[in-house]
Amino acid sequence: MAILSSEPKQLQSKKGIRTWNDHTIQHTVCRREVCAVQQLQHHRLCEIHSRYQQHFLFLCLIVPLTGPAISSASYSTASELLYMLHEGLPKGILIGNIVRDLQLGLLTDPPLSFSLASKGLSGKYVTLDNSTGELYTSAEELDREALCPHNPGAQDCVLLLDIIILPQEYFRLIKVKIAVIDVNDNAPMFPVAQIYITVPENAPVNTRLVIEHPAYDPDGGLNGVQTYRLVDYYGVFTLDVEENESGERTPYLIIMGTLDREVKSEYKTIIIAEDGGNPPLVGSATLSILISDVNDNCPQFSESAMNVTIPGNSSVGMKVTMVQAVDIDLGSNAIITYAFSERVPQSSKELFYLDENTGIIKLSKKVDGNTIQQHKLTILANGPGCIPAVISVSISIIKVALRPPEVVPRYIATEENGIIYLKELEPIHTPIAFFTIKDPDGKYKVKCYLEGEGPFRLGAYKTYTNEYLLETTNTLDFETKRIFNISVVALSLDGSKVRKPLQVYILDENDNSPVFTQPTIEVTIEENNQANAFLAKLHATDADSGERGQISYFLGPDAPAYFALDKQTGILTVTTMLDREEKEKYRFTVKARDSGKPPRESVATVHITVLDKNDNSPRFISKDFSFFVPENFPGFGEIGVISVTDADSGQNGWIALSIVNGSDIFVIDTGKGLLRAKVSLDREQQSSYTLWVEAADGGDPTLSSTAKITILLLDVNDNPPLVLFPQSNMSYLLVLPSTLPGSPVTEVYAVDKDTGMNAVIAYSIIGRRGPRPESFRIDSKTGNITLEESLMSDDYGLYRLLVKVTDHGYPEPLFSTVMVNLFVNDTVSNESYIESLLRKDADINIEEKEPQIAIEPTHKKIEADSCVPTLVTLSIFCLGSVILITLMAMYICLRKGKKDHRINENLEVQIPLNGKMDFHLLDKKPIEISNI
């Protein structure tokens, strides 16, 4: 494969590579061999992956290097060309020549023709000369961002073309890829024209705030957005740009000075985004920096005192004046509430009303001859977290004298002898009468109002002045109140009153439904009742009279079928036996209906509670409880909970637990069912306990049931090993000097009352004394003591071995010690002398080495290549062991025969003792053992 790589223009001319004078387009040719598979009659195309540089156009040509340049249709090959050009080139720019770039011959018969396989998207941007194979840019400008809209910032944007070479005998399919190089033809653009960012006025210097909606540039690489700047920084702001891992740049606003919303609440400037093209392009948007408020100002009055004068005939609710303070903060920071100072007299507070939100002062009480004429009100303006601002309001009241007004009635409703008759079903706002108020002086306004209770209202008639209309404000109810006494009052400014008394009678109509004396009827009955048992007698009343007040009773649709209700008497019964354990509560509705037309009815709810009888015995959740408790568990500690239930309730469901098999060790908490032991339990004395517990309820007669309780004690390491052999520290054993090495001499045997790991025993020698004390060893598992080395003539004498017997209990193992005495000699002829040596203290040094015992076998890694030598070694060792055991057996038999003969000859021979026999006994736990 021949490859001609891209180089600068001055180098290309030296190598004879064709170049274009137009600096925008340059060609580089690379060729790759493609083998035609004749048997399958189709071709493999080789993909070309190459990196190309900006401002160059590359051509990659794939042609076969063997065989003819143009083959027949049955042996046609496919080639691939790759060109590269800048976007936005004008019409008629030569992109490439298919014939020249593929090195095709034009002198063919018939001549070659070239055509685009598809003229869809490719026909918009390129044109192909059918006879020469030259490829040009078309009339429509090539736009890289329009061609690759889904990946505008990427480096690669390729236009794909398929070119067919005909006629059929020279048929070839050419794959053409045109890589479009980005040109800086797009300016950065913000997604919104106005960007808002909010900064609190107390933001510290160097505060960083991200600017949302950063600019977007369809161009890629250096032609994309590179930096941001502001037109006006106002001396308190600056910009910083951060770039993330994907290359996106985000602008940040940095506070460089102090802010004050009350001085300036908003800063407007222009933010500019600039790309890295040459020349660079920019985009802009308006940046509004809003300064948010913090509570840094307090309310203030514009003046410290006010003087107000009001007439003595002022009406209640009249506005006297208004105080107003100002807080230059915003929102909740500027909320002001007003209040009277504690120094304001109570009489002034009762006469004047201060609106805490608006600061409006109103007259809240009628002014009369006893009213104080001068008032001084000290008012506080309170803001959040501020000292109140203060203003003083002085109010003077001036007296006014007027003649009393006149009240002239005109009735609309039925009236007779001063009594007005109304039906109780009259609609709201039914007019009753007109009243005309006449002021004799005609100089002052007369206030008219209504006194007395009732659903009535007196209001000014809109058409005329001093005309008032009396009307109803709510529905009337004969059953609630039948007679109303009201008065129309005219009040002049000087306090003169004129009253016109009125009496209103309400006429009865059928407008009431029956009413149960109890909206909810609570009924109780014991379970297992008799059929047709009485439950309750329902009672309802109707405020209407006559037949409209006659009531009948009915069960609601939700009532079970086994309840019955008498229509006339209202007696409620149950027709069947009830079971509380099946259902304890019943709830259904009953109706009371009158005889009116149409009839009216009301609904009540019946709650029936079935009372319990002692018809269920207690039930344990299990007939057999098992509890696992460690031994030595402290007395009265909680062993377990015995759960038992009773379907009955109240006293019948109260359960008492007791132990029926007479145990004095255990006790049960009846309330909680807790089982406790009075004393600490020892597993070695008794490993389990079986109790029978009875549960009895509180009913009459009492019902009961029993359950079995099994208590299993878990072992605790509370017993040290007990040495059974040797039975005494004063016992000894004769060891013949002829004993062979490896022969067992004696053993230490011990047991442990505990179980498990607490009873696993290990043996070790922790102290030695004798002529050559290291001659003996003990097996840590079995306690067997064997001879390690052959005994010499100077090894005769008494050996004392201090053996430690240790268990493997947790958390701390326990141990015992025993003294093993071995007398090395041919015979024992002077026992009293040996016993005197045993009674002396043995001077033995304690060895701190702990016994080791393997509980589980350890796994050893065996090399694969060592199997054969190991088997040979084991075979030799086994054969040698058999021969050695045979020889030792023969030797022992001979020695035994000689020994028996020597003992028979002289039993009174003195025992020669070698070495000094000065031993001291070791301090240890005393154990009771006897001589062997």
Side-chain angles (χ1 to χ4, degrees):
M1 179 178 66
I3 299 177
L4 302 180
S5 60
S6 171
E7 294 184 3
K9 188 172 181 180
Q10 62 272 19
L11 296 181
Q12 291 182 357
S13 60
K14 294 179 181 180
K15 293 189 177 181
I17 299 175
R18 184 188 309 168
T19 62
W20 277 256
N21 293 329
D22 188 350
H23 295 287
T24 307
I25 304 176
Q26 296 187 10
H27 290 71
T28 300
V29 181
C30 65
R31 301 183 180 87
R32 178 176 299 176
E33 179 178 356
V34 178
C35 299
V37 183
Q38 299 180 2
Q39 295 81 356
L40 298 179
Q41 294 189 353
H42 72 280
H43 311 279
R44 294 190 308 165
L45 296 179
C46 298
E47 292 185 2
I48 302 176
H49 299 283
S50 62
R51 294 185 179 180
Y52 39 80
Q53 301 176 353
Q54 192 174 14
H55 307 301
F56 284 17
L57 181 146
F58 292 90
L59 166 65
C60 182
L61 171 64
I62 307 173
V63 296
L65 298 183
T66 60
I70 297 181
S71 62
S72 63
S74 60
Y75 294 93
S76 64
T77 61
S79 300
E80 183 172 300
L81 299 176
L82 174 62
Y83 298 98
M84 188 172 183
L85 75 161
H86 288 81
E87 66 174 331
L89 293 177
K91 176 183 177 182
I93 298 299
L94 177 64
I95 299 174
N97 188 309
I98 304 300
V99 174
R100 181 176 56 233
D101 294 334
L102 291 178
Q103 298 180 0
L104 302 176
L106 289 176
L107 300 178
T108 60
D109 186 20
L112 299 177
S113 66
F114 305 87
S115 63
L116 292 173
S118 174
K119 295 186 179 180
L121 180 63
S122 59
K124 295 170 54 178
Y125 299 108
V126 299
T127 57
L128 178 65
D129 191 316
N130 295 337
S131 59
T132 64
E134 291 178 340
L135 195 64
Y136 295 90
T137 58
S138 65
E140 184 169 343
E141 183 177 289
L142 183 61
D143 188 357
R144 179 180 175 277
E145 286 71 29
L147 182 62
C148 302
H150 301 294
N151 196 12
Q155 294 291 333
D156 299 331
C157 181
V158 179
L159 177 63
L160 302 177
L161 306 176
D162 289 337
I163 297 177
I164 299 174
I165 301 176
L166 294 176
Q168 183 66 29
E169 55 268 25
Y170 304 113
F171 172 81
R172 291 184 72 175
L173 176 64
I174 308 302
K175 297 286 186 177
V176 177
K177 295 182 181 180
I178 301 176
V180 183
I181 302 175
D182 182 53
V183 175
N184 189 25
D185 57 346
N186 290 279
M189 181 174 58
F190 288 89
V192 293
Q194 185 89 16
I195 302 174
Y196 295 93
I197 185 169
T198 302
V199 182
E201 64 176 326
N202 62 345
V205 176
N206 293 327
T207 298
R208 296 172 62 88
L209 302 169
V210 64
I211 297 179
E212 302 290 345
H213 311 295
Y216 169 77
D217 194 335
D219 296 325
L222 289 176
N223 295 329
V225 177
Q226 299 297 319
T227 185
Y228 293 84
R229 68 177 184 272
L230 297 179
V231 172
D232 190 354
Y233 292 89
Y234 291 99
V236 292
F237 303 106
T238 187
L239 279 184
D240 188 18
V241 180
E242 288 186 3
E243 183 177 358
N244 58 19
E245 294 179 356
S246 62
E248 297 178 354
R249 287 176 168 85
T250 302
Y252 282 81
L253 182 70
I254 303 177
I255 310 301
M256 302 301 294
T258 58
L259 304 174
D260 190 351
R261 189 202 64 81
E262 288 72 27
V263 175
K264 190 174 181 64
S265 61
E266 181 179 1
Y267 295 83
K268 280 194 174 183
T269 184
I270 303 297
I271 182 170
I272 298 175
E274 183 177 311
D275 62 21
N278 187 17
L281 301 179
V282 298
S284 64
T286 302
L287 177 64
S288 293
I289 305 171
L290 306 177
I291 310 303
S292 61
D293 183 61
V294 296
N295 189 26
D296 57 351
N297 293 281
C298 289
Q300 295 291 333
F301 285 105
S302 60
E303 53 188 355
S304 61
M306 295 176 61
N307 294 314
V308 181
T309 301
I310 61 173
N313 58 354
S314 299
S315 59
V316 176
M318 183 193 76
K319 178 179 176 181
V320 177
T321 186
M322 177 180 179
V323 295
Q324 187 174 11
V326 178
D327 190 337
I328 60 177
D329 289 328
L330 291 178
S332 59
N333 297 327
I335 294 176
I336 301 175
T337 58
Y338 301 92
F340 286 124
S341 171
E342 296 293 335
R343 294 178 292 177
V344 176
Q346 185 63 31
S347 59
S348 298
K349 292 181 180 179
E350 294 175 355
L351 185 61
F352 299 100
Y353 166 77
L354 174 62
D355 190 301
E356 66 174 3
N357 296 317
T358 63
I360 295 176
I361 302 174
K362 295 182 180 180
L363 190 65
S364 61
K365 189 177 179 182
K366 178 186 174 183
V367 178
D368 54 23
N370 298 323
T371 302
I372 300 174
Q373 304 300 309
Q374 299 292 329
H375 298 270
K376 184 176 182 180
L377 307 178
T378 302
I379 299 175
L380 307 177
N382 299 293
C386 292
I387 299 175
V390 181
I391 189 172
S392 178
V393 180
S394 298
I395 302 176
S396 300
I397 302 176
I398 302 174
K399 290 186 177 181
V400 177
L402 297 172
R403 289 184 296 169
E406 296 178 6
V407 179
V408 179
R410 287 176 292 166
Y411 297 102
I412 301 173
T414 303
E415 182 269 339
E416 186 178 351
N417 299 325
I419 299 175
I420 301 172
Y421 296 94
L422 294 175
K423 294 181 180 180
E424 63 175 338
L425 295 182
E426 291 286 356
I428 302 174
H429 305 308
T430 298
I432 300 173
F434 274 110
F435 294 89
T436 302
I437 309 301
K438 295 182 179 181
D439 183 10
D441 296 325
K443 296 181 180 180
Y444 300 97
K445 185 177 179 181
V446 177
K447 181 180 180 182
C448 187
Y449 60 92
L450 192 65
E451 282 187 350
E453 297 181 354
F456 307 104
R457 179 179 65 188
L458 182 66
Y461 196 60
K462 297 180 180 180
T463 308
Y464 305 98
T465 60
N466 292 331
E467 293 285 341
Y468 294 87
L469 176 64
L470 178 64
E471 61 182 357
T472 60
T473 60
N474 206 340
T475 56
L476 305 174
D477 190 359
F478 170 82
E479 291 75 26
T480 303
K481 192 171 184 179
R482 304 180 182 182
I483 301 174
F484 294 92
N485 292 304
I486 58 177
S487 297
V488 176
V489 180
L491 177 64
S492 61
L493 290 177
D494 64 348
S496 299
K497 285 184 180 180
V498 175
R499 285 183 174 87
K500 178 62 178 178
L502 300 172
Q503 194 171 49
V504 181
Y505 275 45
I506 308 301
L507 302 179
D508 184 30
E509 293 190 63
N510 186 24
D511 61 339
N512 290 281
S513 300
V515 178
F516 283 96
T517 55
Q518 291 179 309
T520 302
I521 298 97
E522 300 286 347
V523 181
T524 58
I525 183 173
E526 283 191 343
E527 64 178 331
N528 307 328
N529 57 281
Q530 297 294 327
N532 299 317
F534 172 82
L535 293 176
K537 187 178 186 304
L538 309 182
H539 181 67
T541 60
D542 195 320
D544 294 328
S545 58
E547 64 178 7
R548 296 185 297 271
Q550 296 178 359
I551 301 173
S552 301
Y553 300 93
F554 304 92
L555 286 172
D558 56 343
Y562 39 84
F563 290 101
L565 178 61
D566 189 275
K567 178 179 179 181
Q568 301 299 328
T569 63
I571 294 176
L572 180 65
T573 57
V574 59
T575 60
T576 186
M577 184 177 67
L578 302 177
D579 185 2
R580 189 201 68 83
E581 287 73 36
E582 181 179 343
K583 190 172 183 179
E584 182 179 6
K585 294 185 181 295
Y586 296 87
R587 178 178 178 178
F588 54 88
T589 58
V590 292
K591 298 179 180 180
R593 184 179 303 160
D594 64 20
S595 301
K597 295 180 181 180
R600 304 174 69 91
E601 65 181 25
S602 62
V603 178
T605 303
V606 178
H607 290 178
I608 299 176
T609 302
V610 182
L611 301 179
D612 183 57
K613 278 190 175 182
N614 192 27
D615 55 350
N616 292 279
S617 59
R619 299 184 66 180
F620 290 92
I621 63 171
S622 174
K623 286 295 183 181
D624 194 348
F625 293 86
S626 296
F627 300 107
F628 295 87
V629 182
E631 65 173 330
N632 303 328
F633 195 67
F636 292 96
E638 179 181 336
I639 294 176
V641 178
I642 302 172
S643 299
V644 60
T645 59
D646 195 315
D648 296 322
S649 63
Q651 187 71 17
N652 298 328
W654 182 86
I655 301 174
L657 297 174
S658 60
I659 301 174
V660 299
N661 56 343
S663 175
D664 295 332
I665 299 176
F666 300 95
V667 64
I668 296 180
D669 186 335
T670 299
K672 299 180 180 179
L674 296 177
L675 178 63
R676 306 175 188 272
K678 297 180 182 179
V679 297
S680 179
L681 304 178
D682 189 357
R683 190 200 63 80
E684 286 72 34
Q685 294 182 2
Q686 186 170 344
S687 62
S688 65
Y689 296 85
T690 301
L691 307 177
W692 290 93
V693 176
E694 180 185 52
D697 62 23
D700 187 15
T702 300
L703 302 177
S704 63
S705 60
T706 58
K708 180 182 178 182
I709 311 298
T710 302
I711 303 170
L712 302 174
L713 298 183
L714 304 177
D715 184 51
V716 175
N717 190 29
D718 57 347
N719 291 281
L722 177 64
V723 178
L724 300 181
F725 183 85
Q727 298 178 349
S728 171
N729 287 337
M730 301 300 293
S731 62
Y732 65 93
L733 180 69
L734 177 66
V735 178
L736 297 176
S738 60
T739 302
L740 296 177
S743 301
V745 177
T746 183
E747 70 172 343
V748 176
Y749 179 70
V751 296
D752 197 310
K753 295 181 180 180
D754 295 321
T755 61
M757 293 300 298
N758 298 330
V760 176
I761 297 175
Y763 301 88
S764 61
I765 299 175
I766 62 173
R768 304 169 184 266
R769 185 69 174 175
R772 193 151 58 95
E774 64 277 2
S775 300
F776 300 93
R777 66 176 294 274
I778 189 168
D779 190 288
S780 62
K781 297 180 182 179
T782 63
N784 291 332
I785 297 176
T786 57
L787 180 64
E788 285 289 288
E789 302 174 356
S790 300
L791 297 173
M792 303 301 177
S793 58
D794 55 351
D795 294 338
Y796 287 61
L798 181 64
Y799 290 78
R800 309 199 71 177
L801 307 177
L802 182 60
V803 177
K804 181 178 180 180
V805 185
T806 308
D807 62 23
H808 281 66
Y810 180 83
E812 184 177 353
L814 303 178
F815 66 91
S816 299
T817 57
V818 65
M819 188 70 76
V820 177
N821 301 303
L822 301 175
F823 186 65
V824 177
N825 203 29
D826 292 328
T827 183
V828 178
S829 59
N830 192 351
E831 292 186 359
S832 60
Y833 176 73
I834 298 175
E835 291 176 356
S836 66
L837 295 177
L838 294 176
R839 284 192 291 269
K840 294 181 180 181
D841 293 337
D843 185 12
I844 298 177
N845 294 325
I846 302 299
E847 301 174 3
E848 296 299 331
K849 184 178 181 181
E850 293 293 333
Q852 301 293 329
I853 182 169
I855 307 303
E856 296 291 339
T858 58
H859 299 281
K860 296 182 179 180
K861 183 185 296 183
I862 301 176
E863 297 291 336
D865 56 356
S866 63
C867 292
V868 174
T870 302
L871 290 176
V872 174
T873 304
L874 288 175
S875 301
I876 297 173
F877 177 80
C878 292
L879 180 60
S881 299
V882 171
I883 298 173
L884 179 61
I885 291 172
T886 303
L887 295 175
M888 288 181 63
M890 295 175 61
Y891 176 79
I892 291 172
C893 292
L894 293 174
R895 292 281 297 179
K896 186 175 180 181
K898 293 181 180 180
K899 178 180 178 181
D900 293 339
H901 178 72
R902 192 180 299 134
I903 292 174
N904 291 332
E905 287 180 353
N906 187 9
L907 295 177
E908 301 298 330
V909 177
Q910 282 293 112
I911 299 174
L913 299 178
N914 297 326
K916 184 178 180 181
M917 303 299 289
D918 187 11
F919 296 93
H920 299 282
L921 293 176
L922 179 68
D923 292 337
K924 56 188 176 296
K925 295 174 63 176
I927 55 175
E928 293 295 331
I929 57 177
S930 59
N931 292 333
I932 296 176

